[in-house]
């Protein structure tokens, strides 16, 4: 499977386990203990128990949750996508120190995968059909409605567990007016055989190697992500980059300049011609800060910087912090100016 996953226990809703996709997933892990649960939202031994902080990575490696996605809505977005698609999974086997998903799931966030893929796919097909043609170009895409299919998980890793992601890539391949999109920090070369025909946008997340070594735990190395871009373009994907999260620290601009130079060296003319970027500066969270202190305190030395940050109350996630107004604008201008100088062919879709 991968060093990321050694599934030993599957927490399964009976309805999910009975579906064809649920049975397929259980068959992939024949040696795992099956624990019947009433709801994927309520698993006391996984969620809300601060003792699990010390077992943060082990739980991500060994536990899997199998459930039913009950709420099917496509939320308007306007940044990474036109719409956020209903999740086919949430949580992640990776352990990025800045990830927002643990803020919602408590002290542990292993992968939860949803077995009712037919209902999710059917909803998306109908939703896209209701949109009709995209008559006005926007920064998301000039021609097609874009649906983010991986807001709360990493689709490249999800694809190691079930066929859900492949089903969605094949769904969008056949829709006349829409494409899928997802960000990833993991290079899964199995995706190269899926023939997306330009209807799936993969956004490889990039940051300076020094930041990734500290913050992007259990992910593919930055050099491997950059090296994969040409192959994914050749396989029929649209490939953009997420410069995210941008962390302000001593020497940060110099390290980003080196990253841009390495990226320029890695790209073919075909990859350059279709490249675009999203630039997202760090937003951190007080509760996540406290969790990280329990398992990865070194990361908090660069993530939690009260002298540079200001509070931002979130509707769902408690007290967030971001770089101070005014100062952040200067940071954004400095980085986007550097990007324009080093990679003039790479348009910035949005920066904040």
């Amino acid at each position: 499977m991968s060093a990321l996953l050694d599934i030993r226990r599957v927490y399964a809703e009976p309805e999910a386990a009975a579906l064809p996709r649920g049975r397929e997933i259980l068959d992939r892990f024949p040696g795992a203990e099956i624990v019947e649960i009433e709801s994927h939202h309520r698993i006391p031994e996984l969620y809300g128990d601060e003792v699990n902080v010390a077992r943060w990575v082990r739980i991500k490696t060994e536990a899997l949750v199998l459930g039913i996605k009950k709420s099917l809505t496509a939320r308007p977005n306007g940044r990474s996508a036109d719409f956020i698609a209903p999740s086919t999974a949430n949580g992640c086997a990776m352990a990025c120190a800045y990830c927002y998903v643990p803020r919602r799931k408590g002290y542990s966030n292993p992968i939860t995968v949803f077995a009712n893929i037919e209902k999710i796919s059917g909803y998306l097909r109908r939703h896209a059909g209701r949109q009709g043609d995209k008559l006005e170009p926007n920064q998301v895409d000039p021609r097609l409605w874009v649906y983010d299919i991986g807001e709360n998980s990493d689709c490249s890793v999800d694809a190691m567990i079930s066929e859900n992601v492949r089903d969605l890539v094949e769904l969008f391949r056949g829709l006349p007016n829409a494409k899928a999109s997802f960000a990833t920090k993991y290079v899964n070369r199995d995706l190269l055989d899926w023939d997306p025909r330009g209807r799936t946008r993969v956004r490889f997340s990039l940051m300076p190697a020094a930041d990734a070594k500290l913050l992007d735990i259990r992910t593919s190395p930055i050099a491997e992500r950059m090296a994969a871009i040409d192959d994914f373009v050749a396989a029929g994907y649209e490939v953009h980059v997420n410069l995210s999260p941008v962390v302000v620290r001593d020497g940060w601009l110099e390290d980003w300049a080196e990253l841009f130079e390495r990226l320029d060296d890695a790209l073919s003319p075909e990859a350059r011609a279709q490249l675009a970027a999203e630039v997202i500066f760090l937003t951190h969270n007080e509760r996540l800060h406290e969790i990280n202190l329990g398992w990865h305190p070194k990361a908090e030395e660069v993530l939690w910087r009260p002298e540079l940050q200001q509070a931002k109350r979130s509707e769902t996630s408690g007290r967030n912090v971001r770089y101070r107004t005014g100062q952040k604008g200067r940071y954004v201008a400095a980085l986007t100016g550097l990007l324009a100088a080093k990679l003039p062919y790479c348009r910035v879709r949005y920066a904040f």
Side-chain angles (χ1 to χ4, degrees), residues 214-275:
L214 178 65
L215 305 175
D216 271 8
I217 310 302
R218 290 163 58 84
T219 64
S220 295
I222 296 296
E224 184 179 349
R225 299 180 214 175
M226 290 194 291
I229 292 175
D230 279 3
D231 294 335
F232 274 74
V233 171
Y237 291 91
E238 180 183 39
V239 181
H240 289 183
V241 291
N242 274 18
L243 309 180
S244 166
V246 180
V247 176
V248 175
R249 54 167 175 78
D250 290 344
W252 69 286
L253 276 175
E254 290 84 354
D255 285 353
W256 277 100
E258 180 182 359
L259 175 72
F260 294 154
E261 291 166 3
R262 291 180 180 273
L263 180 59
D264 184 50
D265 290 341
L267 297 178
S268 66
E270 293 77 13
R272 293 179 183 183
Q274 53 87 73
L275 191 67

Side-chain angles (χ1 to χ4, degrees), residues 52-69:
N52 284 332
V53 170
R55 301 171 59 238
W56 190 258
V57 171
R58 182 176 176 183
I59 290 173
K60 286 171 167 290
T61 304
E62 298 180 355
L64 178 67
V65 182
L66 181 60
I68 296 291
K69 180 68 174 177

Side-chain angles (χ1 to χ4, degrees), residues 274-293:
Q274 53 87 73
L275 191 67
E278 301 175 5
V279 181
I280 306 169
F281 277 71
L282 173 72
T283 296
H284 201 28
N285 175 269
E286 187 172 43
R287 185 180 179 202
L288 182 58
H289 166 65
E290 293 167 356
I291 291 173
N292 284 350
L293 289 176

Side-chain angles (χ1 to χ4, degrees), residues 186-203:
Y186 189 79
V187 177
N188 181 347
R189 290 186 170 270
D190 290 344
L191 277 62
L192 295 173
D193 298 327
W194 289 3
D195 189 25
R197 302 179 194 174
R199 293 310 180 95
T200 294
R201 174 186 293 166
V202 178
R203 293 148 27 229

